[in-house]
């Protein structure tokens, strides 16, 4: 069977492009010619380094035109405004703090050196043969004695550094001993610190009351009394440390603890008797001592005897009670 024939199909014609376009062949650029070693980059690359912008070359920084930020008038105004606000805030803070504490006078009590701290601790623990006990005074422009020297220049001058460090050491020592004995709790830090600060505050209030009743006035008296009230912690630390090491955790309950306690108590009492003499028993010689003058010229012998008794009561009776409370484990 033959296949029928149909009409002959027209020939096929393929489209012919009207616009001939040539695609360029992509080639890698040739490597640059090698330059001398002196002209290569800092990393040894043979490729030339990029040139800095014109603004960067003018300002000498890599930030270009942004390197002139601080020279902008708006930036200068903002900088001046910040400095002014900081200065006003500092003045406001100093003004409000000075209502309660004289910061400039407080700096005097922290002006110490390493040699002063060592000599002062030795003086507190061994005051038996120390002489003299009088404080040194600077000579004013008119040739008269005007003010006391700072602690770094006078070992008899009271300071705040030793009392503050002794108080902190006492708190950590008590908590350490409690931890060794298995009695440590986080609340113990607050309890020990509260008891220590309460003892110091009660002592200062009692001293101020006694000074008020005995008509004793001094511009620097309060800070001096605060400093002297903190020296007892030096003896307490020595007592607790030796008692715990020798007595095996009995504290001051053993005979060694009580022996060390009585020694440090007597040393601290003698130290206070000699040191507080210039505050509570000033010399009545009628000269002008500026802020150091505490006794009026017309004070009687009876008033001086009362002050002597008050100083003895504070140095021995009060100190014994306070040191015994603070030395308990």
């Amino acid at each position: 069977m033959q296949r029928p024939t149909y009409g002959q199909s027209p020939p096929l014609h393929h489209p012919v492009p009207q616009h001939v376009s040539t695609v360029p062949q992509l080639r890698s650029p040739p490597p640059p010619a090698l330059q001398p070693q002196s002209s290569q980059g800092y990393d040894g690359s043979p490729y030339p380094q990029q040139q800095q912008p014109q603004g960067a070359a003018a300002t000498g920084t890599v930030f270009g035109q942004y390197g002139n930020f601080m020279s902008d008038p708006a930036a200068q105004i903002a900088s001046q405004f910040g400095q002014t606000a900081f200065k006003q805030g500092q003045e406001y803070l100093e003004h409000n703090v000075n209502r309660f504490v004289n910061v400039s006078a407080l700096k005097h009590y922290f002006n110490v050196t390493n040699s002063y701290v060592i000599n002062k601790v030795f003086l507190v623990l061994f005051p038996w043969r120390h002489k003299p006990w009088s404080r040194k005074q600077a000579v004013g422009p008119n040739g008269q004695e005007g003010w006391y020297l700072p602690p770094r220049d006078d070992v008899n001058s009271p300071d705040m550094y030793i009392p503050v460090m002794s108080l902190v050491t006492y708190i950590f020592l008590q908590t350490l001993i409690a931890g060794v004995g298995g009695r440590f709790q986080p609340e113990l830090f607050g309890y020990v610190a509260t008891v220590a600060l309460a003892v110091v505050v009660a002592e200062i209030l009692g001293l101020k009351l006694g000074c008020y009743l005995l008509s004793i006035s001094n511009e620097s008296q309060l800070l001096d009394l605060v400093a002297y009230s903190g020296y007892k912690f030096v003896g307490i630390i020595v007592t607790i440390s030796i008692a715990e090491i020798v007595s095996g955790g009995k504290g001051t309950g053993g005979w060694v603890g009580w022996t060390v306690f009585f020694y440090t108590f007597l040393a601290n009492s003698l130290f206070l008797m000699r040191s507080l003499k210039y505050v509570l028993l000033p010399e009545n010689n009628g000269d002008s001592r500026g802020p150091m003058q505490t006794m009026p010229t017309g004070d009687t012998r009876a008033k001086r005897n009362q002050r002597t008794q008050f100083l003895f009561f504070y140095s021995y009776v009060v100190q014994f009670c306070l040191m015994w409370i603070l030395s308990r484990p």
Side-chain angles (χ1 to χ4, degrees), residues 124-159:
V124 173
L125 297 177
F126 306 98
W128 316 108
R129 302 188 63 180
H130 175 73
K131 288 183 180 181
W133 289 89
S134 59
R135 295 182 58 180
K136 298 179 181 179
Q137 302 181 22
V139 179
N142 55 356
Q144 297 182 356
E145 297 175 341
W147 57 86
Y148 290 123
L149 293 178
R152 63 182 304 157
D153 298 325
D154 183 14
V155 71
N156 294 323
S157 177
D159 69 283

Side-chain angles (χ1 to χ4, degrees), residues 70 75-91:
M70 294 306 298
Q76 293 181 355
I77 295 176
S79 177
Q80 294 178 359
F81 176 78
Q83 294 177 0
T84 303
F86 177 78
K87 184 177 180 181
Q88 292 179 353
Q90 186 177 8
E91 292 177 353

Side-chain angles (χ1 to χ4, degrees), residues 110 117 120-121 124-125 159-174 192 196-197 200 226-238 240-241 268 326:
F110 285 94
V117 173
K120 192 70 171 186
V121 172
V124 173
L125 297 177
D159 69 283
M160 292 287 190
Y161 177 81
I162 295 178
V164 171
M165 295 304 296
S166 300
L167 176 62
V168 175
T169 305
Y170 166 78
I171 296 173
F172 281 99
L173 180 61
Q174 288 284 53
V192 175
L197 293 176
V200 173
V226 172
Y228 282 119
S229 66
Y231 286 115
K232 69 170 66 65
F233 288 100
V234 176
I236 294 173
I237 292 172
V238 173
I240 296 176
S241 302
N268 180 70
L326 295 173

